Amino acid sequence: MYEFYDKDSLREYRNTLKDQNRRVALVPTMGALHEGHASLITHAHTLADEVIVSIFLNPLQFGPNEDFKRYPKPLDDDKQYCKDLAVSALFLPSNDIIYPPDAVFTNVTVPSLSSLYCGQSRPNFFSGVTNVVLRLLNLIDPDSVIFGEKDYQQYIIIKSCIESLFLPTKIYCSPIIRNQQGIALSSRNRYLSKQDRHDAASIFQSLCKVKDAVQSGILDATELTAVLKKSLSPNITIDYIAFVDEKSLTPVTMIRSGNRVLFAGTLNKTRLIDTFELTFS
Ligand code: PAF
């Protein structure tokens, strides 16, 4: 597995792959890899000949009171994890490579979608994400890029960005991976105590209740919000519950098959997000 720390050696590698007609898939990460990332990498292998994983803890997507400093950084474990998953190359840029201090800063944002839902309580989060992802796509020029379904709003925002800026990269969304308790895997789950995990599992249980309610014919978003709240642990502070159109993220009042429920909350300062697709015949 190659390791690249600067853009010139990365470009040289990428150009060699182009000359050899090798298709490249990128899995962008912030490290602290887990089975959720493993499934993105496995998905990437089905799309391309070579899989590149980037690990960059992007300061722009953290607010002043968020966990940038304490975010886990098990770099040696991450490298081994990628090797075991037959990753071809790791891109491990420093902050100055991604945001060169001597370059004029160009801001990439999708304002209309970035201010919704997670963007309400994390005002700079999505512009941080689009800024880093666009830079990674321009540096690596992958044929495809893969994101996790858990961060569904992030996926839709990056998809819009790619489409509106005519980038040639194809974007894919990989299904959520859950632990045995149903908790959606996230690097931040490392912060959860045993009791927290018990409480966090109530998110999945509540979303299952919503899914069942939809399948039994309850389609009113207000009623479904009540269903979700009812089985949620009282230790979770709800940030938002939104029933949305799966493409535009516009709120819906009556569910149509294929719409989504988006959830975000905090549990002892740990932010947890989750989503379900709501289908019925
Ligand atoms: O989902 C993440 O891990 C991050 O938001 C991403 C896409 C790697 C950008 O830093």
Side-chain angles (χ1 to χ4, degrees):
M1 184 177 72
Y2 295 102
E3 287 178 22
F4 298 106
Y5 293 85
D6 65 281
K7 61 180 190 329
D8 292 340
S9 56
L10 174 78
R11 280 252 165 86
E12 204 178 302
Y13 170 69
R14 182 64 187 103
N15 287 338
T16 311
L17 295 178
K18 268 195 188 146
D19 292 344
Q20 297 168 346
N21 280 326
R22 308 282 292 164
R23 288 167 310 159
V24 169
L26 169 67
V27 179
T29 81
M30 297 204 297
L33 305 181
H34 49 69
E35 282 171 58
H37 296 108
S39 91
L40 301 183
I41 294 170
T42 306
H43 187 172
H45 278 299
T46 67
L47 301 167
D49 307 301
E50 312 285 347
V51 174
I52 301 181
V53 171
S54 63
I55 300 183
F56 177 64
L57 190 56
N58 176 32
L60 288 198
Q61 67 187 80
F62 288 81
N65 300 318
E66 292 183 356
D67 55 344
F68 179 66
K69 286 218 170 94
R70 73 167 178 144
Y71 201 87
K73 300 173 195 67
L75 187 57
D76 290 339
D77 292 349
D78 286 349
K79 285 184 183 177
Q80 190 57 51
Y81 202 67
C82 287
K83 244 186 220 163
D84 294 344
L85 290 164
V87 166
S88 310
L90 267 183
F91 182 42
L92 302 154
S94 65
N95 198 52
D96 286 1
I97 298 288
I98 298 293
Y99 306 114
D102 51 354
V104 175
F105 184 79
T106 299
N107 196 14
V108 185
T109 59
V110 185
S112 58
L113 297 177
S114 297
S115 53
L116 305 172
Y117 314 121
C118 281
Q120 292 270 305
S121 46
R122 307 186 73 193
N124 298 319
F125 172 65
F126 288 117
S127 78
V129 169
T130 44
N131 271 293
V132 73
V133 171
L134 258 284
R135 281 161 176 80
L136 291 170
L137 293 178
N138 282 331
L139 284 168
I140 299 170
D141 188 18
D143 298 286
S144 47
V145 64
I146 299 98
F147 295 92
E149 180 195 2
K150 177 176 68 66
D151 301 279
Y152 191 77
Q153 187 180 2
Q154 166 174 279
Y155 162 69
I156 291 292
I157 288 175
I158 297 168
K159 188 170 183 292
S160 310
C161 206
I162 286 179
E163 284 167 6
S164 63
L165 296 177
F166 312 114
L167 298 191
T169 305
K170 287 211 166 72
I171 178 168
Y172 293 86
C173 182
S174 258
I176 294 181
I177 304 295
R178 300 181 181 277
N179 73 5
Q180 280 189 336
Q181 293 162 288
I183 304 172
L185 295 193
S186 159
S187 304
R188 289 192 168 96
N189 291 354
R190 294 175 194 222
Y191 304 145
L192 300 176
S193 66
K194 201 171 168 205
Q195 175 60 43
D196 289 342
R197 283 171 193 271
H198 180 264
D199 292 330
S202 73
I203 299 172
F204 175 69
Q205 289 149 13
S206 313
L207 290 172
C208 287
K209 292 259 160 60
V210 169
K211 196 169 191 165
D212 291 347
V214 167
Q215 276 163 3
S216 75
I218 301 175
L219 301 179
D220 182 283
T222 311
E223 276 181 68
L224 292 168
T225 303
V227 169
L228 200 160
K229 282 183 175 166
K230 205 170 159 198
S231 19
L232 199 65
S233 159
N235 294 332
I236 295 176
T237 308
I238 299 171
D239 181 11
Y240 64 82
I241 295 168
F243 290 86
V244 302
D245 177 87
E246 65 279 15
K247 290 202 177 96
S248 64
L249 300 183
T250 315
V252 293
T253 47
M254 290 300 277
I255 305 300
R256 215 185 11 82
S257 185
N259 286 164
R260 278 195 169 259
V261 51
L262 307 178
F263 172 87
T266 47
L267 179 56
N268 285 331
K269 292 197 185 142
T270 300
R271 189 174 171 83
L272 299 167
I273 60 174
D274 208 330
T275 177
F276 262 32
E277 185 186 20
L278 301 170
T279 47
F280 55 92
S281 44

